[in-house]
Amino acid sequence: MYCALDIGGTQIKQAYVTKEGELSDVKTTDTPKTKQQFLACIENILNELPDTCQGVGISCPGKIDTTTKTVYHGGSLTFLDHFSFADFFEKIGCTLPVAVQNDGKAAILGEYWLGSLQGIRQAVGLTLGTGVGGGLLVDGKLLEGKNFQAGEFSFILNHPSLPDKQVMTGAQLSAARFIKQAARLLELEDITDGQTVFEHLNKNSSKSLYDLFEGYCFQIASLLFNLQCIFDPEKIVIGGGISAQPLLITEINRQYAKILNHDAFYQQTFTPVVIEACQFQNHANCLGAVYALRTELSS
């Protein structure tokens, strides 16, 4: 049995994962706001692990050097910049093996191990949250890149201008940003209430709301088409909490078809790619973190 820690900007998810990929004892705690509190939280989790635990797989935001287990930048957890989990484990006397992987890349590894990408050699995984994360499978292996930055979709420029956060893909395709825009359009008191937003979308109760949704999905489909041009994947999977909404996947596919069918030359050149939701959704990161650990231990 292994321990999986999925560290996010708002919550830390902990789970136990068997070698077959079965999850149990899943629980969450609020992510501490300071480094000192964060380290105390992680140390408490490690101290309470049972003797049967064989290692710890960690999913974390930021650029991750998977060889030294070091986090750079840390995404929304900026206090993790240049933090090494390997050094921390050694400092507190934890002898369990540890693997650390970027959260977006962990999601695609989880899907490759047991989910929608089983047996797939070429794939793109896209996770929609505060920004846009993801990963790339090339010949059945995760593409990390020379500087561990492959799959950093948030930083792709989608406007002919110098880099600016507001015109980068991470801002334009942010699921959190879309929900806030939609909630304001509906004049909801809670601008993070995605459930109510999709209730209105499923009822098609507002043309202006659906126009906003179509535009959002078209931007996602455009990114997926560009990635298809570069990587020619067999399948593309969409993750993040918003991917649990079937309407999102349906509309992305519709917008993708609109792009592909716009010109006969596109239709003759490109084979339509399969686009679907991640099978494990919010649990994919935990599975991928453990898969990364098991891969390291077997190498």
Side-chain angles (χ1 to χ4, degrees):
M1 180 187 68
Y2 307 94
C3 174
L5 296 178
D6 179 19
I7 298 169
T10 57
Q11 289 188 322
I12 297 173
K13 180 185 294 181
Q14 178 186 355
Y16 292 111
V17 183
T18 67
K19 63 181 180 179
E20 292 82 18
E22 296 175 352
L23 276 80
S24 63
D25 296 326
V26 180
K27 56 185 177 181
T28 59
T29 184
D30 291 341
T31 304
K33 302 302 181 185
T34 69
K35 185 174 183 179
Q36 183 178 3
Q37 294 170 337
F38 174 83
L39 296 183
C41 176
I42 298 300
E43 185 171 2
N44 286 338
I45 291 173
L46 296 176
N47 287 337
E48 293 175 1
L49 293 179
D51 293 338
T52 52
C53 183
Q54 298 172 280
V56 181
I58 298 175
S59 162
C60 184
K63 182 177 79 171
I64 311 295
D65 183 331
T66 55
T67 57
T68 65
K69 328 298 181 188
T70 302
V71 181
Y72 294 96
H73 313 306
S76 58
L77 303 178
T78 53
F79 57 74
L80 289 182
D81 187 30
H82 286 80
F83 174 73
S84 168
F85 278 96
D87 291 347
F88 177 67
F89 271 48
E90 183 177 356
K91 180 180 178 180
I92 65 173
C94 181
T95 58
L96 288 171
V98 58
V100 187
Q101 186 54 268
N102 166 269
D103 47 8
K105 294 182 176 67
I108 197 172
L109 285 177
E111 292 297 315
Y112 179 65
W113 181 20
L114 295 167
S116 300
L117 297 177
Q118 277 187 298
I120 301 294
R121 303 288 294 174
Q122 313 284 129
V124 172
L126 201 73
T127 54
L128 302 171
T130 305
V132 181
L136 303 161
L137 281 180
V138 178
D139 294 330
K141 295 182 179 179
L142 183 68
L143 180 65
E144 292 194 302
K146 178 179 179 294
N147 298 297
F148 304 98
Q149 287 183 296
E152 293 283 1
F153 302 134
S154 273
F155 297 98
I156 294 176
L157 299 178
N158 58 8
H159 189 275
S161 65
L162 292 173
D164 182 277
K165 286 185 178 180
Q166 298 309 309
V167 298
M168 287 182 178
T169 295
Q172 296 295 312
L173 272 61
S174 164
R177 177 176 179 265
F178 165 72
I179 293 299
K180 288 178 181 178
Q181 289 177 320
R184 289 190 179 104
L185 190 64
L186 293 169
E187 299 182 347
L188 300 182
E189 185 175 337
D190 181 2
I191 61 171
T192 65
D193 187 358
Q195 193 62 41
T196 299
V197 167
F198 272 91
E199 286 175 6
H200 281 271
L201 284 168
N202 281 303
K203 293 175 183 176
N204 200 8
S205 61
S206 166
K207 182 180 184 305
S208 56
L209 175 63
Y210 214 94
D211 287 346
L212 178 69
F213 181 57
E214 284 183 322
Y216 176 63
C217 291
F218 180 80
Q219 287 182 295
I220 296 171
S222 298
L223 173 61
L224 299 186
F225 180 76
N226 288 338
L227 292 172
Q228 180 184 9
C229 294
I230 299 168
F231 295 102
D232 191 22
E234 298 173 57
K235 183 183 283 190
I236 297 174
V237 292
I238 310 292
I242 197 172
S243 68
Q245 299 290 342
L247 184 62
L248 177 83
I249 307 303
T250 298
E251 189 60 38
I252 289 174
N253 273 286
R254 192 173 77 86
Q255 296 297 329
Y256 169 81
K258 183 187 297 185
I259 293 171
L260 201 64
N261 296 330
H262 178 69
D263 191 293
F265 180 72
Y266 279 2
Q267 297 176 52
Q268 295 165 6
T269 304
F270 294 97
T271 301
V273 67
V274 176
I275 303 170
E276 60 186 39
C278 286
Q279 180 177 330
F280 292 106
Q281 297 176 4
N282 288 334
H283 290 322
N285 291 11
C286 286
L287 291 172
V290 168
Y291 180 80
L293 173 66
R294 295 182 68 235
T295 301
E296 287 189 20
L297 293 177
S298 63
S299 62

